[in-house]
Amino acid sequence: MNINRLRRFIGDMTSLVGGAWQDKDEKAVLEVGQKLLGELVSHDDWLPESMAKSPPHGYAQNLLWCDPFERFSVVSFVWSPGAQTPVHDHQMWGLVGMLRGAETSQSFVRDPATGAMTAGEPKQMQLGEVEVLVPATGDIHRVTNVLKDKPSISIHVYGGNIGAVRRHTFDPATGTPSLFVSGYTNQMVPNLWDRSAETRAAS
Ligand SMILES: [Fe+2]
């Protein structure tokens, strides 16, 4: 397992969100972040097994890393066969990279006055592809594991501590919102810092 890839990605993301310009230029953060995540998910040799375990039903949302200042978080989403989220929003930017299998993101536009929901085109994510979600331009969606007989895994990066913020699910028929806080499935984050094998090999 090559967890170095994840450690390097987190280092690069930390530099990116720490740039003096980042508050003013979210677009630039997302452009670079999309490339970095695309590179990370183009390899499938780094995700610890415990973070890739499919639950029997639904999906697991495993925290891989949260920035100490909560400027971004990195999560592995493990979908059991055919699993589907409710329609939901995020309240912050998001990047979704497909690591294993395939998923569909069905977008919705919600009329703020009436709550009426209009479904957009469903978009199937291919391996290595990265989707960008921005609240200002519409980030309401419902995600489904396309595979009916196998788990799928996507790696998500969000512009905050995604598991600990108030956000919404929506009834797709009426647009009625419900508050929710997603939390995380795991209690322990992966150890990125045991580099003893490298040190021993070099000595
Ligand atoms: Fe989402």
PDB file of all heavy atoms in Angstrom, residues 106-123:
ATOM      1  N   GLN A 106     -27.085  12.688  -9.858  1.00  0.00           N
ATOM      2  CA  GLN A 106     -28.292  13.290 -10.443  1.00  0.00           C
ATOM      3  C   GLN A 106     -28.470  14.661  -9.800  1.00  0.00           C
ATOM      4  O   GLN A 106     -28.723  14.762  -8.602  1.00  0.00           O
ATOM      5  CB  GLN A 106     -29.493  12.381 -10.134  1.00  0.00           C
ATOM      6  CG  GLN A 106     -30.847  13.009 -10.323  1.00  0.00           C
ATOM      7  CD  GLN A 106     -31.226  13.125 -11.780  1.00  0.00           C
ATOM      8  OE1 GLN A 106     -31.408  12.125 -12.446  1.00  0.00           O
ATOM      9  NE2 GLN A 106     -31.319  14.349 -12.274  1.00  0.00           N
ATOM     10  N   SER A 107     -28.319  15.732 -10.598  1.00  0.00           N
ATOM     11  CA  SER A 107     -28.424  17.071 -10.018  1.00  0.00           C
ATOM     12  C   SER A 107     -29.882  17.537  -9.975  1.00  0.00           C
ATOM     13  O   SER A 107     -30.730  17.059 -10.748  1.00  0.00           O
ATOM     14  CB  SER A 107     -27.581  18.053 -10.833  1.00  0.00           C
ATOM     15  OG  SER A 107     -28.110  18.152 -12.129  1.00  0.00           O
ATOM     16  N   PHE A 108     -30.172  18.446  -9.067  1.00  0.00           N
ATOM     17  CA  PHE A 108     -31.498  19.060  -8.956  1.00  0.00           C
ATOM     18  C   PHE A 108     -31.313  20.563  -8.791  1.00  0.00           C
ATOM     19  O   PHE A 108     -30.386  21.007  -8.118  1.00  0.00           O
ATOM     20  CB  PHE A 108     -32.257  18.546  -7.728  1.00  0.00           C
ATOM     21  CG  PHE A 108     -32.696  17.116  -7.837  1.00  0.00           C
ATOM     22  CD1 PHE A 108     -31.828  16.082  -7.509  1.00  0.00           C
ATOM     23  CD2 PHE A 108     -33.965  16.797  -8.272  1.00  0.00           C
ATOM     24  CE1 PHE A 108     -32.221  14.756  -7.609  1.00  0.00           C
ATOM     25  CE2 PHE A 108     -34.374  15.472  -8.379  1.00  0.00           C
ATOM     26  CZ  PHE A 108     -33.505  14.454  -8.039  1.00  0.00           C
ATOM     27  N   VAL A 109     -32.220  21.324  -9.402  1.00  0.00           N
ATOM     28  CA  VAL A 109     -32.264  22.764  -9.162  1.00  0.00           C
ATOM     29  C   VAL A 109     -33.517  23.019  -8.328  1.00  0.00           C
ATOM     30  O   VAL A 109     -34.592  22.520  -8.657  1.00  0.00           O
ATOM     31  CB  VAL A 109     -32.322  23.555 -10.489  1.00  0.00           C
ATOM     32  CG1 VAL A 109     -32.448  25.047 -10.219  1.00  0.00           C
ATOM     33  CG2 VAL A 109     -31.068  23.265 -11.312  1.00  0.00           C
ATOM     34  N   ARG A 110     -33.353  23.780  -7.223  1.00  0.00           N
ATOM     35  CA  ARG A 110     -34.493  24.041  -6.334  1.00  0.00           C
ATOM     36  C   ARG A 110     -34.874  25.501  -6.415  1.00  0.00           C
ATOM     37  O   ARG A 110     -34.036  26.382  -6.227  1.00  0.00           O
ATOM     38  CB  ARG A 110     -34.113  23.682  -4.902  1.00  0.00           C
ATOM     39  CG  ARG A 110     -35.241  23.866  -3.917  1.00  0.00           C
ATOM     40  CD  ARG A 110     -34.813  23.321  -2.551  1.00  0.00           C
ATOM     41  NE  ARG A 110     -35.891  23.458  -1.587  1.00  0.00           N
ATOM     42  CZ  ARG A 110     -36.077  24.526  -0.826  1.00  0.00           C
ATOM     43  NH1 ARG A 110     -35.257  25.555  -0.917  1.00  0.00           N
ATOM     44  NH2 ARG A 110     -37.093  24.564   0.032  1.00  0.00           N
ATOM     45  N   ASP A 111     -36.153  25.753  -6.703  1.00  0.00           N
ATOM     46  CA  ASP A 111     -36.667  27.124  -6.726  1.00  0.00           C
ATOM     47  C   ASP A 111     -36.789  27.595  -5.275  1.00  0.00           C
ATOM     48  O   ASP A 111     -37.554  26.998  -4.503  1.00  0.00           O
ATOM     49  CB  ASP A 111     -38.038  27.135  -7.416  1.00  0.00           C
ATOM     50  CG  ASP A 111     -38.588  28.544  -7.560  1.00  0.00           C
ATOM     51  OD1 ASP A 111     -38.426  29.343  -6.608  1.00  0.00           O
ATOM     52  OD2 ASP A 111     -39.192  28.838  -8.613  1.00  0.00           O
ATOM     53  N   PRO A 112     -36.014  28.632  -4.868  1.00  0.00           N
ATOM     54  CA  PRO A 112     -36.023  29.013  -3.454  1.00  0.00           C
ATOM     55  C   PRO A 112     -37.397  29.543  -2.995  1.00  0.00           C
ATOM     56  O   PRO A 112     -37.736  29.434  -1.815  1.00  0.00           O
ATOM     57  CB  PRO A 112     -34.964  30.112  -3.356  1.00  0.00           C
ATOM     58  CG  PRO A 112     -34.624  30.503  -4.746  1.00  0.00           C
ATOM     59  CD  PRO A 112     -35.127  29.461  -5.688  1.00  0.00           C
ATOM     60  N   ALA A 113     -38.187  30.073  -3.909  1.00  0.00           N
ATOM     61  CA  ALA A 113     -39.494  30.636  -3.529  1.00  0.00           C
ATOM     62  C   ALA A 113     -40.526  29.534  -3.288  1.00  0.00           C
ATOM     63  O   ALA A 113     -41.236  29.529  -2.281  1.00  0.00           O
ATOM     64  CB  ALA A 113     -39.978  31.596  -4.618  1.00  0.00           C
ATOM     65  N   THR A 114     -40.592  28.575  -4.199  1.00  0.00           N
ATOM     66  CA  THR A 114     -41.649  27.557  -4.104  1.00  0.00           C
ATOM     67  C   THR A 114     -41.131  26.213  -3.590  1.00  0.00           C
ATOM     68  O   THR A 114     -41.911  25.360  -3.177  1.00  0.00           O
ATOM     69  CB  THR A 114     -42.259  27.300  -5.500  1.00  0.00           C
ATOM     70  OG1 THR A 114     -41.226  26.747  -6.336  1.00  0.00           O
ATOM     71  CG2 THR A 114     -42.768  28.589  -6.124  1.00  0.00           C
ATOM     72  N   GLY A 115     -39.807  26.037  -3.643  1.00  0.00           N
ATOM     73  CA  GLY A 115     -39.225  24.745  -3.250  1.00  0.00           C
ATOM     74  C   GLY A 115     -39.278  23.722  -4.385  1.00  0.00           C
ATOM     75  O   GLY A 115     -38.763  22.615  -4.232  1.00  0.00           O
ATOM     76  N   ALA A 116     -39.877  24.074  -5.512  1.00  0.00           N
ATOM     77  CA  ALA A 116     -40.027  23.109  -6.614  1.00  0.00           C
ATOM     78  C   ALA A 116     -38.660  22.613  -7.092  1.00  0.00           C
ATOM     79  O   ALA A 116     -37.734  23.400  -7.287  1.00  0.00           O
ATOM     80  CB  ALA A 116     -40.783  23.751  -7.765  1.00  0.00           C
ATOM     81  N   MET A 117     -38.565  21.299  -7.274  1.00  0.00           N
ATOM     82  CA  MET A 117     -37.297  20.685  -7.672  1.00  0.00           C
ATOM     83  C   MET A 117     -37.352  20.292  -9.148  1.00  0.00           C
ATOM     84  O   MET A 117     -38.305  19.633  -9.579  1.00  0.00           O
ATOM     85  CB  MET A 117     -37.045  19.412  -6.863  1.00  0.00           C
ATOM     86  CG  MET A 117     -37.072  19.590  -5.371  1.00  0.00           C
ATOM     87  SD  MET A 117     -35.570  20.356  -4.741  1.00  0.00           S
ATOM     88  CE  MET A 117     -34.553  18.933  -4.468  1.00  0.00           C
ATOM     89  N   THR A 118     -36.315  20.677  -9.892  1.00  0.00           N
ATOM     90  CA  THR A 118     -36.207  20.259 -11.287  1.00  0.00           C
ATOM     91  C   THR A 118     -34.967  19.388 -11.429  1.00  0.00           C
ATOM     92  O   THR A 118     -33.867  19.821 -11.074  1.00  0.00           O
ATOM     93  CB  THR A 118     -36.061  21.488 -12.205  1.00  0.00           C
ATOM     94  OG1 THR A 118     -37.058  22.445 -11.831  1.00  0.00           O
ATOM     95  CG2 THR A 118     -36.213  21.123 -13.666  1.00  0.00           C
ATOM     96  N   ALA A 119     -35.175  18.164 -11.926  1.00  0.00           N
ATOM     97  CA  ALA A 119     -34.045  17.244 -12.088  1.00  0.00           C
ATOM     98  C   ALA A 119     -33.238  17.612 -13.323  1.00  0.00           C
ATOM     99  O   ALA A 119     -33.799  17.923 -14.371  1.00  0.00           O
ATOM    100  CB  ALA A 119     -34.557  15.813 -12.191  1.00  0.00           C
ATOM    101  N   GLY A 120     -31.904  17.600 -13.193  1.00  0.00           N
ATOM    102  CA  GLY A 120     -31.021  17.814 -14.348  1.00  0.00           C
ATOM    103  C   GLY A 120     -30.678  16.479 -14.987  1.00  0.00           C
ATOM    104  O   GLY A 120     -31.303  15.455 -14.698  1.00  0.00           O
ATOM    105  N   GLU A 121     -29.669  16.522 -15.847  1.00  0.00           N
ATOM    106  CA  GLU A 121     -29.214  15.293 -16.505  1.00  0.00           C
ATOM    107  C   GLU A 121     -28.405  14.447 -15.512  1.00  0.00           C
ATOM    108  O   GLU A 121     -27.500  14.973 -14.868  1.00  0.00           O
ATOM    109  CB  GLU A 121     -28.286  15.657 -17.670  1.00  0.00           C
ATOM    110  CG  GLU A 121     -29.000  16.085 -18.935  1.00  0.00           C
ATOM    111  CD  GLU A 121     -29.876  14.981 -19.497  1.00  0.00           C
ATOM    112  OE1 GLU A 121     -29.341  13.895 -19.803  1.00  0.00           O
ATOM    113  OE2 GLU A 121     -31.095  15.207 -19.615  1.00  0.00           O
ATOM    114  N   PRO A 122     -28.706  13.145 -15.395  1.00  0.00           N
ATOM    115  CA  PRO A 122     -27.830  12.311 -14.560  1.00  0.00           C
ATOM    116  C   PRO A 122     -26.457  12.182 -15.214  1.00  0.00           C
ATOM    117  O   PRO A 122     -26.364  12.078 -16.436  1.00  0.00           O
ATOM    118  CB  PRO A 122     -28.537  10.953 -14.525  1.00  0.00           C
ATOM    119  CG  PRO A 122     -29.741  11.072 -15.377  1.00  0.00           C
ATOM    120  CD  PRO A 122     -29.782  12.406 -16.024  1.00  0.00           C
ATOM    121  N   LYS A 123     -25.426  12.240 -14.391  1.00  0.00           N
ATOM    122  CA  LYS A 123     -24.075  12.195 -14.935  1.00  0.00           C
ATOM    123  C   LYS A 123     -23.349  10.993 -14.351  1.00  0.00           C
ATOM    124  O   LYS A 123     -23.241  10.872 -13.144  1.00  0.00           O
ATOM    125  CB  LYS A 123     -23.357  13.485 -14.525  1.00  0.00           C
ATOM    126  CG  LYS A 123     -22.007  13.663 -15.157  1.00  0.00           C
ATOM    127  CD  LYS A 123     -21.402  15.002 -14.740  1.00  0.00           C
ATOM    128  CE  LYS A 123     -19.984  15.159 -15.257  1.00  0.00           C
ATOM    129  NZ  LYS A 123     -19.043  14.174 -14.741  1.00  0.00           N
TER     130      LYS A 123
END
